[in-house]
Amino acid sequence: MFNRVPLATLFALLVIALLAGCANTRGGAAAHPFWPKPPDPARFIYESVIRTELDIVHETKGDAFRNTVAGSNPRAAQAFMKPYDVAARNGRILVSDSGGEVVHLFDVPQGQMFRIGRGDKGKLQQPSGVTIDTQGNLYVADVKGKYVNMYNPVGHFVRTFGSKELFAKPADVAVSKSGDRIYVVDLGGIDSDKHRVTTFDPEGKVLFTFGKHGNSPGDFHLASHIDIGPDDNVYVLDAGNFRVQVFDRDGKYLRSWGKVGVDIGDLARPRGLALDTEGNVYVTDGTFGNFQIFNPQGELLLWIGNTGQDNKPGQYGLPAGIAVDETNHVYVVDQLHTKVEVLRRLNQEESDRLAKNLPLNTRTKGPALSLSTSKAPAPVGGTLAPTPAPTPTPANASP
């Protein structure tokens, strides 16, 4: 028999639910953490977190009422088992789940989530790095299957790049802006000499490879992530050598930066790489529990986040993949807290309002603040310094 709930109690619960919803719509410093803190101008603000399909679906007042009465919150249900990497473009967010043997495609405009990689064609074994090209096609590197799968924008399998003979551990994939080249970085492994990048044409033909196992300029040791800059240069996170390396589109070495250490700007356990539309480079670090932002020349601009077990915004237990979309939203995978956290670059008006402790009542339009600086960059970021580790740990880039 069901227990009867008094009407007055139901009304009170509904009011509480609605007030909670209103509290989240005003914004401002209290509702949405931002970075860095005054006196530095705020440049990024926390927007949301993604754990399940319901996190991208608008909840009506009726839904809120029913959830409150039922005493359950469907948003608490986890979609991920072990999220690893993320890509985002045009409101579509692709997250690899190495524990679930699938990738999750969150289509925000449609308010739906799709799981890809379970069919007979295009089946995934241990998905790792992901990307979305300018046409909306999806690419997934499979570190266990030793191939890269391509799917069309609705998730139908198209083709495979590479094979067990070609790859040791394909860790990540990137596509040139024109779509004429697909770059796959091979993690290699301790017992392999395939520490390199393999470049394909759109039909899957190998064009060339570059890199070899080592620590000299242009060499790789456990390289884990790859991305393309707005200048069409290729950026590789050479995780085992604690550095970022830059190549032109033909694989010619240009420059590199980074060193192992526990100071701000160092790399202790780099685990993800992404570039924004200005060419700034975002690198997550599992030891620091944050991501650091460098300009294209490798100068530190700022850092965001810190380690923590409380699962609060900007607090990462084990950050992994990271992505920046064309609207300057930043997506950060946290494997420990099984979430994808979403931050946004602020525009000048929003930054000024936060400096005056005024709420962000509406989403104002305007260009985002530039991260460039005319003077020597200062390490301005989260409210706490990165937590140093006694000894830097070589990145274990496997999902």
Side-chain angles (χ1 to χ4, degrees), residues 28-30 32-44 346 350-358 379-384:
H32 299 277
F34 59 89
W35 299 270
K37 301 300 182 184
D40 298 296
R43 297 178 183 272
F44 289 87
L346 295 166
E350 292 172 317
S351 180
D352 292 343
R353 290 185 68 86
L354 287 174
K356 300 174 183 177
N357 201 30
L358 297 175
V380 292
T383 56
L384 299 176

Side-chain angles (χ1 to χ4, degrees), residues 144-292:
K144 184 177 180 180
K146 302 181 188 299
Y147 48 73
V148 172
N149 280 349
M150 175 185 175
Y151 306 86
N152 69 13
V154 296
H156 294 160
F157 175 72
V158 176
R159 67 174 53 89
T160 293
F161 296 86
S163 64
K164 294 182 179 180
E165 292 71 33
L166 181 64
F167 292 133
K169 293 182 178 180
D172 198 14
V173 55
V175 182
S176 63
K177 289 182 292 185
S178 64
D180 65 332
R181 291 184 176 180
I182 294 88
Y183 300 87
V184 180
V185 63
D186 201 323
L187 185 70
I190 301 300
D191 56 351
S192 172
D193 61 354
K194 296 179 179 178
H195 297 246
R196 63 190 184 189
V197 173
T198 301
T199 309
F200 298 86
D201 71 9
E203 302 303 318
K205 177 184 176 181
V206 175
L207 298 177
F208 58 89
T209 65
F210 60 92
K212 62 181 178 62
H213 195 194
N215 57 15
S216 298
D219 292 348
F220 300 120
H221 178 57
L222 303 177
S224 62
H225 288 79
I226 189 168
D227 203 357
I228 309 297
D231 53 5
D232 225 22
N233 286 335
V234 181
Y235 291 71
V236 179
L237 180 59
D238 188 9
N241 284 323
F242 305 95
R243 64 187 178 185
V244 174
Q245 298 204 71
V246 188
F247 304 82
D248 70 13
R249 70 188 312 267
D250 297 320
K252 178 183 177 182
Y253 172 82
L254 298 178
R255 61 185 180 275
S256 61
W257 72 85
K259 65 181 180 67
V260 62
V262 294
D263 294 324
I264 294 173
D266 290 341
L267 302 178
R269 193 183 178 190
R271 305 195 77 234
L273 171 82
L275 275 83
D276 65 21
T277 56
E278 297 176 2
N280 298 309
V281 183
Y282 298 59
V283 181
T284 59
D285 199 296
T287 294
F288 297 152
N290 70 5
F291 64 90
Q292 301 182 97

Side-chain angles (χ1 to χ4, degrees), residues 339-356:
K339 68 179 180 179
V340 177
E341 197 164 279
V342 185
L343 293 81
R344 179 174 59 86
R345 283 265 296 277
L346 295 166
N347 61 37
Q348 187 64 58
E349 180 182 345
E350 292 172 317
S351 180
D352 292 343
R353 290 185 68 86
L354 287 174
K356 300 174 183 177

Side-chain angles (χ1 to χ4, degrees), residues 93 143 220 389 399:
I93 306 160
V143 71
F220 300 120

Side-chain angles (χ1 to χ4, degrees), residues 22 30 39 44 63 71-72 75 83 98 100 115 117 139 153 195 213 220 230 260 272 287 297 311 314 340 355 374 398:
C22 292
F44 289 87
D63 293 332
S72 62
R75 291 179 181 272
S98 58
R115 290 184 174 89
Y139 299 77
H195 297 246
H213 195 194
F220 300 120
V260 62
T287 294
Q297 286 69 47
N311 199 11
V340 177
S374 58
S398 297

Side-chain angles (χ1 to χ4, degrees), residues 58-83:
H58 176 68
E59 185 179 69
T60 66
K61 295 179 180 179
D63 293 332
F65 176 74
R66 285 189 293 271
N67 294 335
T68 302
V69 172
S72 62
N73 183 3
R75 291 179 181 272
Q78 293 286 344
F80 311 124
M81 293 184 65
K82 190 179 180 182

